[in-house]
Amino acid sequence: MWWNKHSNFDANLGISEQLSTLQSDGINLTIDELLSYQGKASLLNLAPKNAVHGHLSGNYLARTKGRGMEFDEVRHYQTGDDIRAIDWRVTARTGETHTKLFKEEVERPVLIATDLGQSMFFGSKLLFKSVQASHIASLVAWHAKKRGDRVGGLVFNELEHQELKPRSRQNGVLHYLHALDELHLQGLEHWQQDNPSSNDYFIENCNRLRQLARPGSLVYLITDGNHFDEKALLPLSQISRVCELVICQISDPLESELPESHHKTSVAVTDGKVKQQLTLGDKKAAERYQQKAQMLTQLKQHMYQKAGARFISFSAGSSIEHQLKSGVESWIR
């Protein structure tokens, strides 16, 4: 199970109270709010879903057999086996020499790739998607550190990327959090300048992530999926063949359905650049909007599945803690 349901978060708090609890204004990002997730690391469980490949000492069991801490099985002695591993009890009972096999322990780096492109700087209820993405990245990083994993990855936007080689202990986490803070500020300033965006930056960083990921790594890609296309499939598919790949998609409530209204009302909606008129209180318009949103979501999910990734959906409209407490069974693909 990827999450634990024990939490003290009060879902009945208002928006201002929730933001105060999160130490956030919903738009800007601070180191303090990222540091606060150190105390919430128990919300997650990052035990590997699949067997881990590798040959280094660490906390996980590999498919390979060898000398290690975890006993696996007993088989007939073969030429070249270590005589120190002979199981004398089984040998005496059967009259044939048997040797013990062990599952070898390996180390598993956790790589987190956080997309802070312009489309992430949008929010209609609680947080910008970029802020929620940073909160998720922080929570994953702190939990990985708690397990003794090395933490690294990528933080990227249209202007820049920071590649962080996996580091152990708290240094790896803090290094990553500072990169989040720095590129989030840069991305926010870039967004406010009304600059154009394209899919190129996302594809380039998927290729960088492929180069960074080593077999056996646990790889998290945190994004809204707005720049995910066929060109991104190749590097992500290559990652999923040798690593456990999890895509966390961040969405905003307004991207899924229109707010309810008892009267027909025309409202202007903008992401800071593109303006659009929406009609609230019109049942047919709301249904068409929701159908288009569902089709887009299904298309994204199909792409993630083609890439061989697990898919988890998060909303920027409520805290991670509330969503994990409520359970994300229906979001796991």
Side-chain angles (χ1 to χ4, degrees):
M1 188 177 291
W2 187 80
W3 70 97
N4 293 319
K5 292 188 178 180
H6 304 292
S7 169
N8 297 318
F9 184 80
D10 187 354
N12 296 318
L13 293 176
I15 296 297
S16 60
E17 288 85 0
Q18 290 186 53
L19 288 174
S20 178
T21 300
L22 295 171
Q23 302 180 44
S24 175
D25 64 4
I27 299 173
N28 298 285
L29 190 67
T30 67
I31 283 293
D32 286 343
E33 66 190 274
L34 299 179
L35 292 174
S36 70
Y37 281 95
Q38 182 173 14
K40 303 175 183 180
S42 59
L43 285 168
L44 299 184
N45 178 7
L46 299 187
K49 181 179 179 181
N50 302 314
V52 180
H53 302 270
H55 298 89
L56 300 176
S57 174
N59 300 322
Y60 304 95
L61 299 178
R63 295 177 185 269
T64 56
K65 305 293 192 296
R67 294 289 298 175
M69 297 298 293
E70 184 75 10
F71 171 75
D72 185 52
E73 62 180 347
V74 174
R75 63 161 169 76
H76 285 92
Y77 179 84
Q78 297 177 3
T79 303
D81 284 349
D82 190 339
I83 61 172
R84 293 174 296 179
I86 291 176
D87 190 323
W88 295 108
R89 290 185 179 180
V90 176
T91 299
R93 186 172 66 249
T94 62
E96 296 181 359
T97 306
H98 284 72
T99 186
K100 296 178 182 178
L101 296 181
F102 299 84
K103 289 183 179 177
E104 194 173 21
E105 289 192 339
V106 300
E107 184 181 61
R108 181 183 63 165
V110 175
L111 300 178
I112 310 165
T114 307
D115 178 6
L116 296 179
Q118 291 185 59
S119 65
M120 297 290 286
F121 290 87
F122 175 79
S124 66
K125 187 174 181 181
L126 183 68
L127 303 170
F128 267 19
K129 292 185 288 184
S130 59
V131 174
Q132 186 72 299
S134 299
H135 287 187
I136 293 172
S138 178
L139 184 59
V140 171
W142 282 119
H143 183 77
K145 179 260 178 185
K146 183 179 180 181
R147 287 188 62 90
D149 296 327
R150 292 183 295 139
V151 176
L154 284 171
V155 184
F156 60 91
N157 57 32
E158 288 88 350
L159 298 177
E160 187 182 344
H161 75 277
Q162 289 196 24
E163 182 177 313
L164 303 112
K165 297 292 178 65
R167 296 185 183 183
S168 59
R169 302 186 177 87
Q170 193 156 312
N171 287 340
V173 179
L174 294 179
H175 197 203
Y176 197 89
L177 300 191
H178 281 291
L180 285 172
D181 183 43
E182 183 179 335
L183 265 71
H184 191 277
L185 177 59
Q186 182 194 63
L188 186 59
E189 293 173 346
H190 183 60
W191 168 77
Q192 291 170 336
Q193 293 170 4
D194 195 20
N195 291 300
S197 180
S198 71
N199 292 1
D200 293 345
Y201 86 98
F202 184 81
I203 297 164
E204 289 170 359
N205 283 285
C206 285
N207 280 299
R208 291 188 179 103
L209 182 61
R210 176 183 58 82
Q211 294 171 358
L212 185 62
R214 294 290 178 265
S217 300
L218 173 59
V219 182
Y220 275 84
L221 174 58
I222 307 173
T223 179
D224 61 5
N226 285 1
H227 298 286
F228 199 107
D229 62 17
E230 291 287 343
K231 292 181 180 178
L233 278 178
L234 179 58
L236 293 179
S237 297
Q238 290 173 336
I239 291 172
S240 68
R241 291 191 191 107
V242 294
C243 301
E244 185 175 351
L245 175 62
V246 181
I247 296 178
C248 295
Q249 179 181 292
I250 315 298
S251 62
D252 183 82
L254 191 57
E255 295 173 331
S256 301
E257 58 184 6
L258 294 176
E260 293 183 0
S261 176
H262 297 295
H263 306 283
K264 285 189 178 182
T265 307
S266 181
V267 297
V269 180
T270 179
D271 60 358
K273 298 177 178 60
V274 179
K275 292 183 179 180
Q276 184 177 357
Q277 291 293 131
L278 298 176
T279 301
L280 305 183
D282 185 326
K283 186 176 180 180
K284 290 185 178 180
E287 289 177 351
R288 288 195 300 269
Y289 185 94
Q290 190 171 15
Q291 287 173 357
K292 289 182 179 179
Q294 289 175 347
M295 288 176 61
L296 180 59
T297 298
Q298 290 171 0
L299 177 61
K300 290 179 181 179
Q301 291 179 18
H302 178 66
M303 298 281 280
Y304 302 151
Q305 290 170 352
K306 285 183 67 176
R310 277 200 295 146
F311 163 60
I312 306 174
S313 177
F314 285 96
S315 171
S318 63
S319 75
I320 309 171
E321 196 166 351
H322 170 54
Q323 293 177 63
L324 293 176
K325 182 180 179 180
S326 300
V328 294
E329 291 95 332
S330 62
W331 299 336
I332 301 217
R333 301 295 189 270

